[in-house]
Amino acid sequence: MSNPTVVFRSLLVYLLCLPLAIFLGYLLADPTDLRTLGTVGLVLLLLLSPLLLRYHYPLMILSWNVSMVLFFLPGRPQLWMAGVAFSLFMSIAHRTLSRQSQFIKVPQLIWPLVAIAVVILVTAWARGGIGMRILGGESYGGKKYLLSLVAIMGYFALTAYRIPPRRAGLYLALFFLGGLTGSFTDFFSATGGSWIRYIYLLFPPTNLYSANLELGITRFIGFSAASSALFYFLMARYGIRGIFLSRKPLLFIVFVLVCVLGLFGGFRSLVIVLLLTFFIQFFLEGMHRTKLILVVLLTLGLAAGLAVPFATSLPPTFQRALAFLPIPIDPDVRLDAEGSNQWRLTIWKRLLPEVPKYLLLGKGFGMQASEMLLATDRMVQGGENTEWAELAGDYHNGPLSVIIPYGLWGVGALLWFLAAAWSVLYKNYRYGDPSLRVVNAFILANVIARVLMFLFIVGGFETDMLALVGLVGLSVSLNGGVAKPAPKPVTQTEPTGGFAGILPRPRSAFGR
């Protein structure tokens, strides 16, 4: 005899699954339609919801550096934004249900982040609101506000849980190696009419207009992102001592290949930040007091000796990436690099006289559609090719990307956050768990390198804020907050002075 409960459950499954299967089959008759892809994606998301509820925190960390967009949502938000929002929501819900679940509280970081968020919201309100055309607004520019606000939310999402030190390696791999997905974006033109091309709905292509990909000539932007992700993981996981002195030649070979891989992008800024991170961590690990200092000096001397006579024989992208060094390179490559510098200088010269206008109330990022069309028309007609970048707020300069949009209030809030971050990261490096010594040294070194780049070379508030908040939040989560110096042991001393002969000496449990 059939069990009524089992029969009812089977009927319920059929009533749900059969109509859904028919509906999905109807949609898949046109698989290229965005509505079809969006519906299928939502169904898959529903099926994966148990995993998302259980592993939302590691999945959020994995999404932090993944170059993936949710093309089926309005505005094509990046995956990390959805990951932060969902993980933070789940962490807050968990906190309301369990008193034992607590966010890691570091007030000296929380208050400057709140101040930055207040400055962003007040500026947006005073300059016409957060304009989002995808939500029916009349202006553009709201995405930059949203990126900064979600990055601040990301700090609280990262510090919702303590990462056990024994799992630090796993979470470092999740955080940094997600950047390897950037390598997918370079091969769009090589896919032809293959079905693989549809993957670029998730990973926006970088070489969209390159008909032919030539190694050493085409600038592989995704390769640069992938190489920096691998470089950061190796430095955080093994450190300089582990890479060079662990007697693991394969690890050293992989490290060298990763550094070479980054040159295919032709980005001077990437080479500079990697070099700064390496040398700062070199000193933080105390390697300058070991025999490795001689190896590094000899390597640098050998590299310089080879670079000077053979620099012009290197691939053009390699030469462009090394163009900031005083070495001879191909004149065409030098002209291209200097043209990029001149373009930035033109923007900065045009913007500097505008700074006093926005000291008390920042300019914000709101812009009308008519302004964008006018700037585009002028550029097409041979006008200044910097006008559109200025209108969009892409100043390619760290200080200008803060003081013009947010005024002195934004500058003050950001400096407050940087000072607090320095204090927290230094204490974690100095007093943290010895098993986290390498990763704490790397995070401090990388943050210092990024801040120097932001202040003196090139940067953007939204992108650099995301990177800095991610590193600081990761450090707080790994160390369980802010590390403190170990208390000094209290030793009992024998009495001295006038009572030394009167007071009895303490006796041992085993006799005199």
Side-chain angles (χ1 to χ4, degrees):
M1 187 174 180
S2 300
N3 189 339
T5 304
V6 175
V7 173
F8 177 77
R9 186 183 302 167
S10 301
L11 289 174
L12 183 62
V13 170
Y14 280 117
L15 286 174
L16 291 175
C17 292
L18 285 178
L20 181 61
I22 295 171
F23 178 66
L24 290 177
Y26 169 75
L27 290 178
L28 290 174
D30 186 10
T32 61
D33 185 62
L34 291 181
R35 289 175 296 180
T36 299
L37 295 173
T39 304
V40 173
L42 290 176
V43 172
L44 291 175
L45 186 65
L46 181 63
L47 294 175
L48 292 174
S49 57
L51 291 176
L52 296 176
L53 294 175
R54 181 175 178 83
Y55 300 107
H56 65 89
Y57 183 74
L59 289 174
M60 180 270 298
I61 291 182
L62 174 63
S63 70
W64 194 273
N65 289 302
V66 171
S67 59
M68 180 177 174
V69 299
L70 304 178
F71 65 92
F72 48 85
L73 295 180
R76 295 166 57 87
Q78 294 173 301
L79 179 65
W80 71 267
M81 300 176 72
V84 164
F86 181 77
S87 181
L88 182 59
F89 173 78
M90 294 304 303
S91 298
I92 294 174
H94 189 200
R95 169 65 182 85
T96 58
L97 297 175
S98 175
R99 289 286 183 181
Q100 297 179 351
S101 176
Q102 297 285 342
F103 284 74
I104 303 174
K105 297 178 181 178
V106 184
Q108 64 192 94
L109 287 172
I110 293 175
W111 288 115
L113 287 173
V114 171
I116 293 174
V118 169
V119 170
I120 293 172
L121 293 173
V122 170
T123 303
W125 172 78
R127 291 298 183 180
I130 300 179
M132 300 287 286
R133 293 280 291 184
I134 59 172
L135 300 179
E138 296 296 329
S139 60
Y140 292 91
K143 189 174 183 179
K144 287 185 176 290
Y145 296 130
L146 193 61
L147 285 172
S148 301
L149 291 174
V150 178
I152 294 173
M153 291 170 54
Y155 169 81
F156 296 97
L158 285 168
T159 57
Y161 300 95
R162 167 76 188 273
I163 298 176
R166 68 180 184 278
R167 295 188 176 179
L170 171 63
Y171 280 87
L172 288 175
L174 292 174
F175 186 81
F176 290 111
L177 296 186
L180 293 178
T181 55
S183 59
F184 299 161
T185 64
D186 282 335
F187 300 102
F188 176 77
S189 59
T191 58
S194 172
W195 62 269
I196 300 177
R197 176 165 291 205
Y198 290 110
I199 198 175
Y200 290 99
L201 291 172
L202 294 172
F203 301 96
T206 54
N207 293 314
L208 183 61
Y209 303 107
S210 299
N212 297 313
L213 300 179
E214 299 183 46
L215 201 63
I217 297 178
T218 303
R219 295 183 64 183
F220 289 95
I221 301 174
F223 273 19
S224 296
S227 69
S228 62
L230 277 170
F231 178 90
Y232 292 149
F233 171 71
L234 293 175
M235 293 287 285
R237 181 67 178 84
Y238 302 102
I240 297 175
R241 184 184 298 274
I243 294 172
F244 287 86
L245 299 180
S246 63
R247 296 181 181 180
K248 296 180 180 178
L250 181 60
L251 184 61
F252 175 75
I253 293 172
V254 170
F255 180 78
V256 174
L257 291 177
V258 164
C259 295
V260 174
L261 182 68
L263 298 177
F264 283 102
F267 291 101
R268 292 161 291 173
S269 58
L270 175 68
V271 177
I272 294 173
V273 75
L274 295 186
L275 286 175
L276 284 174
T277 300
F278 180 88
F279 284 111
I280 295 173
Q281 186 172 347
F282 187 88
F283 283 92
L284 290 178
E285 289 189 26
M287 302 307 295
H288 58 289
R289 294 190 292 267
T290 67
K291 59 183 179 182
L292 190 59
I293 185 67
L294 298 177
V295 176
V296 171
L297 292 176
L298 289 174
T299 304
L300 289 177
L302 179 62
L306 293 174
V308 172
F310 297 106
T312 55
S313 301
L314 294 173
T317 54
F318 285 40
Q319 296 184 50
R320 194 183 190 283
L322 302 175
F324 66 95
L325 297 174
I327 59 176
I329 61 176
D330 186 89
D332 292 336
V333 177
R334 177 74 70 183
L335 184 63
D336 177 63
E338 290 178 353
S340 177
N341 291 339
Q342 188 60 42
W343 184 81
R344 291 189 178 92
L345 290 174
T346 302
I347 293 180
W348 301 343
K349 288 179 181 179
R350 288 168 59 95
L351 290 174
L352 282 176
E354 303 290 322
V355 170
K357 300 179 184 179
Y358 304 111
L359 292 179
L360 296 181
L361 178 61
K363 179 183 179 181
F365 293 105
M367 54 182 173
Q368 300 299 319
S370 57
E371 295 177 318
M372 291 185 61
L373 291 175
L374 183 60
T376 304
D377 289 340
R378 289 176 180 173
M379 187 172 64
V380 171
Q381 295 172 7
E384 288 284 351
N385 62 352
T386 62
E387 186 174 354
W388 200 95
E390 296 169 20
L391 188 64
D394 295 327
Y395 306 135
H396 296 267
N397 179 276
L400 289 179
S401 70
V402 181
I403 194 168
I404 291 181
Y406 301 115
L408 291 176
W409 307 103
V411 173
L414 179 61
L415 292 178
W416 184 10
F417 170 71
L418 293 179
W422 158 259
S423 175
V424 170
L425 296 181
Y426 178 76
K427 289 178 180 177
N428 287 342
Y429 157 73
R430 182 76 181 273
Y431 308 117
D433 190 324
S435 65
L436 301 173
R437 179 77 172 179
V438 172
V439 63
N440 284 332
F442 163 76
I443 293 177
L444 179 58
N446 192 234
V447 167
I448 294 174
R450 288 180 181 274
V451 171
L452 291 175
M453 286 286 297
F454 178 83
L455 294 176
F456 301 109
I457 301 178
V458 66
F461 177 75
E462 297 78 26
T463 54
D464 284 285
M465 192 68 186
L466 173 64
L468 293 175
V469 166
L471 290 168
V472 173
L474 183 65
S475 175
V476 171
S477 182
L478 285 169
N479 292 273
V482 185
K484 298 179 180 180
K488 297 181 179 179
V490 179
T491 57
Q492 184 176 1
T493 59
E494 294 186 3
T496 58
F499 296 95
I502 300 176
L503 296 177
R505 293 178 178 269
R507 296 186 178 185
S508 169
F510 301 99
R512 295 177 179 272

